[in-house]
Amino acid sequence: MSEPMDITIGWDVGGAHLKAARIEADGRVAMVWQESCPLWRGPEHLHAALDRILAGNTVWPGSPRYHAVTMSGEMTDLFATRKDGVHALVELLCRRLGSGDVRFYAGAEGWLDGASARLHPYQVASANWRATADLVAAHLGEALLVDIGSTTTDIVPLRGHGVATASASDSDRLAAGELVYTGIARTPLMAMSAEAPVAGRWVPLMAEHFATSADVHRILGGLPDGADLHDSADGGPKTVEASRARLARMVGRDAGDLSDAAWTELAAWFADAQLERIGRAIRQVLSRVPIDPHAPLVMAGAGAFLGPRLAARSGRPVLNFSQLPIAGSLVEHIDWCAPAVAAGLLLAGEKSCC
């Protein structure tokens, strides 16, 4: 292995994906990775995802000196408690990434080594949103961060170059409207609405995992390539035709019962319902933390393409995370991996000041 250089790898260990970003010694974001990682099925999936990313990293000169880790995977039902999850992930990552200096992001507590992270599991747990928010706040001062991923949406008010929320735990953030369980790929449609308009009638949805938000956005043509890395609800193909069939099952029909245009209209209704839910949460957050009406929505995540529609609802300008003055921000999919990028840049910046 080559000698370690002042290279930092930022890691975001989620319950469904592993994301990483390579930060060069000059602060440039050289590359990002997103790998499927169904952690709830067992730690071997995390090992496999780590193998793929670490193998991809070897094509770049120099080995990393630092690893900046943030996580939310501790909440998966693989672990009995979130504390157990943090302990297990810290141990696994220290072992796998031990060739470098491994640090764990703990929000306001800053960066912790493995031993300290084990002593402060609830500060390390689900702090990935905070890493993105801290970086955006440092650059913009005042904004509303909206990170729409495959599964969840984070809404974080930023003011005075800081994070303007007292919420820390997932429980607090759910109640505050800052964590919304809706995303562009993995959300079951039965969690998006209880009924839908079909052929002129309101039809109750079947409480079955027949279709997901990925089917909705695929039918509408908005789902980005590579954003849907997990199996479809029925394990079938990821085509518009197959998505129509899955959508039809939700209302007790077959795809051939109605025209393609009718299914597109139904998909559009679900997309509107999702935007309404996110928009409602945005209004809840802004009712508690008013920010300048000209402060932008900063969009991150694979669902950043929804930014213009959300901005139109709120009357604010919009920019993507990748449009911040981050060296290397033209790297493809940097918005999708915002917490990993942010963790890497935050730790790299701290180390360069020492």
Side-chain angles (χ1 to χ4, degrees):
M1 180 177 292
S2 59
E3 285 297 314
M5 301 173 65
D6 285 337
I7 294 165
T8 303
I9 304 293
W11 300 91
D12 178 19
V13 185
H17 300 93
L18 177 64
K19 301 173 185 178
R22 179 181 168 109
I23 315 300
E24 299 296 325
D26 60 2
R28 178 174 54 92
V29 183
M31 183 66 184
V32 298
W33 295 264
Q34 175 179 259
E35 293 287 342
S36 172
C37 179
L39 185 57
W40 70 91
R41 294 177 180 168
E44 65 274 14
H45 294 280
L46 177 54
H47 282 290
L50 282 165
D51 287 341
R52 293 192 293 270
I53 291 175
L54 291 171
N57 184 65
T58 60
V59 304
W60 298 83
S63 59
R65 186 183 300 275
Y66 307 111
H67 294 278
V69 181
T70 188
M71 67 177 68
S72 61
E74 78 289 335
M75 72 174 66
T76 66
D77 52 14
L78 174 65
F79 308 113
T81 67
R82 289 179 300 131
K83 177 180 178 181
D84 290 342
V86 170
H87 286 176
L89 292 175
V90 167
E91 180 180 354
L92 186 154
L93 292 163
C94 284
R95 186 169 65 250
R96 288 300 310 271
L97 307 176
S99 60
D101 184 356
V102 184
R103 298 299 173 113
F104 296 86
Y105 196 62
E109 300 296 323
W111 293 98
L112 305 177
D113 61 17
S116 297
R118 292 182 184 93
L119 295 175
H120 299 86
Y122 297 112
Q123 284 70 42
V124 173
S126 296
N128 56 350
W129 65 271
R130 179 65 186 256
T132 309
D134 282 340
L135 185 72
V136 175
H139 281 286
L140 294 182
E142 192 158 342
L144 187 70
L145 172 64
V146 182
D147 186 336
I148 305 176
S150 65
T151 311
T152 62
T153 297
D154 293 304
I155 301 169
V156 190
L158 310 173
R159 196 167 59 186
H161 291 278
V163 176
T165 175
S167 302
S169 69
D170 284 337
S171 177
D172 289 343
R173 297 183 68 237
L174 284 166
E178 296 168 9
L179 174 59
V180 185
Y181 258 78
T182 191
I184 59 141
R186 299 183 64 242
T187 304
L189 287 200
M190 60 183 171
M192 294 173 68
S193 179
E195 59 182 4
V198 182
R201 298 184 298 173
W202 285 101
V203 178
L205 263 64
M206 292 188 172
E208 295 279 2
H209 185 53
F210 284 150
T212 67
S213 50
D215 293 307
V216 165
H217 294 293
R218 183 177 295 111
I219 291 169
L220 296 175
L223 187 68
D225 290 341
D228 180 20
L229 298 181
H230 291 268
D231 290 343
S232 62
D234 61 0
K238 297 178 180 180
T239 62
V240 172
E241 181 180 12
S243 286
R244 288 194 200 106
R246 288 189 284 267
L247 180 61
R249 290 192 195 105
M250 293 300 305
V251 291
R253 289 178 176 265
D254 295 322
D257 293 350
L258 299 173
S259 68
D260 291 351
W263 295 123
T264 299
E265 181 63 28
L266 180 57
W269 185 85
F270 276 107
D272 284 346
Q274 185 174 52
L275 283 169
E276 175 64 26
R277 186 178 178 193
I278 296 171
R280 184 172 182 268
I282 287 174
R283 292 298 184 189
Q284 179 186 353
V285 171
L286 292 177
S287 74
R288 184 174 59 257
V289 187
I291 62 175
D292 188 289
H294 302 293
L297 294 183
V298 178
M299 300 300 303
F305 67 90
L306 296 175
R309 294 183 66 185
L310 285 173
R313 284 171 171 258
S314 62
R316 292 179 179 274
V318 62
L319 73 158
N320 285 359
F321 176 80
S322 57
Q323 293 175 290
L324 297 176
I326 300 169
S329 59
L330 295 180
V331 172
E332 188 177 16
H333 300 328
I334 196 169
D335 292 320
W336 299 13
C337 302
V341 172
L345 288 171
L346 288 171
L347 183 60
E350 180 177 293
K351 294 297 184 181
S352 68
C353 293
C354 299

